[in-house]
């Protein structure tokens, strides 16, 4: 990967990491369920007017939108609104990677390699350590936001499976699928917000938008929609079309690093040492399950012996985690990481005729 593309991959990771503080700022003004509806409405309206509909069957687009757009962000936003630390949320959401591997094996009958199984086990150990640590704080009251965030990771994983099936039916349309996925959440989320949060709370959230808090909330929402989703997703899709997924996807592991660091710098939010240690275990597990046994830089004559072991039916444990913006990962015939996406619109499938998963 040339230096320019590496810099772009780092830029996307930084953007997606900064997205978590942006969400935090928006939640200071808007109720969580309504914020999900608002976020996707801003994407859905121009999509309906300007973007051609993808050729994938509607059931897979709906599955992608329901998992990635509804379940992931409902649980994530409610968790953050309930006290989930912003930086920790960016880390725990990496659970979408092991969840995707397990669900793909159970529902799509995809083979899980020993390396991927080990990665899932290590990541689960780290997530369990975080949960146990949080359970011991505040009489266990701090555990619920962690559980909600894990549910968000599970929703993301379900969305990945829907995205994968959609990309099989419509290869080469990852970014279009990402945009049309945004059409799914607005109406059900608005209905849920009216029932749960009530019209009075929704109306009140539009008051004082010219105050400092209101302006920061609007700026956070604009960052999430325009920068994290459209700009970040567009760049990531381009990179996934140029390079193997196993080369690009590991850059997403920088997202929780940026999320934790930016939450500390911008929000003065500190993450406990124990959570950082267990978080490193999570990242190590995701990397173990998503990277090739033989690095791309290793001389080819040495890699030949492992080529037969790689197989192309394995499930990708790459976490396009991170940010509330989709990042699909798809297979390249020569890459060990393949088959199930986990995050933002990936064009690996478009390059290899099957992309976009997150």
């Amino acid at each position: 990967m040339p230096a320019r593309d590496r810099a772009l991959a780092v830029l996307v990771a930084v953007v997606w990491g900064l997205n978590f503080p942006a969400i935090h700022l928006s939640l200071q003004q808007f109720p969580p369920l309504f914020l999900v509806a608002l976020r996707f409405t801003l994407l859905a309206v121009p999509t309906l007017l300007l973007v051609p509909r993808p050729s994938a069957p509607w059931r897979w687009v709906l599955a992608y939108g329901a998992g990635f757009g509804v379940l992931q962000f409902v649980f994530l936003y409610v968790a953050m609104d309930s006290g989930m630390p912003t930086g920790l949320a960016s880390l725990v959401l990496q659970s979408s990677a092991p969840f995707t591997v397990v669900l793909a094996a159970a529902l799509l009958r995809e083979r899980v390699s020993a390396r991927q199984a080990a990665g899932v086990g290590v990541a689960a150990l780290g997530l369990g350590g975080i949960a146990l640590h949080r359970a011991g704080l505040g009489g266990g009251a701090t555990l619920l936001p962690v559980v909600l965030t894990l549910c968000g990771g599970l929703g993301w994983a379900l969305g990945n499976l829907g995205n994968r099936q959609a990309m099989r039916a419509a290869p080469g349309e990852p970014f279009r699928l990402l945009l049309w996925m945004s059409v799914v959440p607005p109406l059900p989320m608005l209905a849920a917000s009216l029932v749960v949060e009530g019209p009075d709370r929704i109306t009140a959230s539009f008051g004082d938008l010219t105050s400092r808090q209101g302006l920061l909330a609007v700026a956070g929402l604009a960052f999430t929609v325009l920068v994290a989703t459209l700009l970040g997703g567009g760049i990531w899709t381009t990179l996934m079309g140029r390079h193997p997924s196993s080369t690009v996807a590991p850059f997403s592991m920088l997202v929780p690093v940026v999320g934790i660091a930016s939450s500390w710098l911008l929000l003065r939010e500190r993450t406990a040492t124990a959570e950082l240690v267990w978080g490193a275990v999570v990242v190590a597990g995701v990397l173990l399950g998503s990277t090739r046994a033989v690095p791309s830089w290793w001389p080819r004559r040495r890699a030949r012996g492992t080529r037969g072991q790689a197989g192309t039916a394995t499930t990708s444990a790459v976490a396009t985690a991170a940010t509330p913006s989709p990042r699909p990962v798809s297979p390249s015939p020569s890459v060990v990481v393949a088959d199930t996406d986990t995050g933002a619109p990936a064009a690996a499938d478009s390059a290899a005729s099957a992309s976009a998963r997150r």
Side-chain angles (χ1 to χ4, degrees):
M1 179 186 288
R4 183 193 63 179
D5 286 358
R6 285 198 299 270
L8 287 173
V10 171
L11 173 63
V12 174
V14 170
V15 164
W16 281 338
L18 290 173
N19 195 43
F20 285 88
I23 293 171
H24 171 85
L25 293 175
S26 296
L27 286 170
Q28 302 303 300
Q29 182 74 19
F30 301 104
L33 300 183
F34 180 70
L35 182 60
V36 177
L38 187 59
R39 167 189 176 156
F40 283 104
T41 298
L42 294 175
L43 287 170
V45 171
T47 295
L48 287 168
L49 295 176
L50 303 173
V51 181
R53 192 182 78 79
S55 55
W58 263 113
R59 64 180 181 276
W60 300 126
V61 178
L62 290 173
Y64 180 22
F68 185 89
V70 177
L71 294 178
Q72 177 189 192
F73 291 109
V74 164
F75 285 115
L76 175 65
Y77 281 25
V78 171
M80 293 178 66
D81 189 60
S82 302
M84 182 67 173
T86 306
L88 190 61
S90 69
L91 179 59
V92 174
L93 203 61
Q94 296 289 331
S95 60
S96 63
F99 278 140
T100 298
V101 173
V102 173
L103 289 175
L107 301 179
L108 302 183
R109 303 292 186 232
E110 293 188 356
R111 182 176 64 84
V112 178
S113 68
R115 184 182 183 86
Q116 290 174 315
V120 169
V122 172
L125 176 65
L127 291 168
I130 292 173
L132 287 174
H133 179 265
R134 299 294 294 182
L137 301 177
T142 55
L143 177 60
L144 178 60
V146 174
V147 173
L148 290 172
T149 307
L150 287 171
C151 290
L154 179 60
W156 185 350
L158 290 169
N160 287 338
L161 300 191
N163 181 289
R164 167 140 179 73
Q165 297 300 96
M167 284 309 304
R168 282 178 168 173
E173 300 180 358
F175 197 64
R176 188 183 299 180
L177 272 172
L178 166 63
L179 293 175
W180 273 87
M181 173 277 298
S182 68
V183 174
V184 177
L187 290 180
M189 291 314 307
L190 181 59
S193 178
L194 286 170
V195 172
V196 176
E197 296 163 341
D200 292 340
R201 187 178 176 190
I202 293 173
T203 302
S205 67
F206 286 96
D208 298 326
L209 284 182
T210 56
S211 66
R212 182 176 182 276
Q213 175 178 295
L215 291 174
L216 287 174
V218 172
L221 179 60
F223 183 92
T224 295
V225 173
L226 299 176
V227 181
T229 302
L230 295 181
L231 178 63
I235 294 175
W236 191 264
T237 300
T238 301
L239 293 176
M240 294 297 290
R242 292 177 183 170
H243 309 285
S245 60
S246 60
T247 301
V248 180
F251 282 91
S252 68
M253 293 297 95
L254 294 174
V255 172
V257 176
V258 176
I260 291 172
S262 60
S263 298
W264 175 61
L265 291 172
L266 301 177
L267 306 177
R268 302 303 177 191
E269 178 184 279
R270 295 185 179 275
T271 302
T273 302
E275 292 170 347
L276 291 175
V277 172
W278 286 116
V281 174
V282 175
V283 172
V286 173
L287 284 176
L288 174 64
S290 65
T291 53
R292 298 191 287 183
V294 178
S296 57
W297 45 264
W298 198 254
R300 275 193 176 179
R301 62 179 178 275
R302 299 187 187 183
R304 260 177 217 160
T306 64
R307 189 172 296 170
Q309 305 168 11
T312 56
T314 54
T315 302
S316 171
V318 172
T320 36
T323 106
S325 358
R327 288 163 273 189
V329 170
S330 285
S332 167
S334 62
V335 180
V336 177
V337 178
D339 261 351
T340 294
D341 16 11
T342 45
D349 276 335
S350 57
S353 291
S355 167
R357 47 185 70 139
R358 198 179 94 146

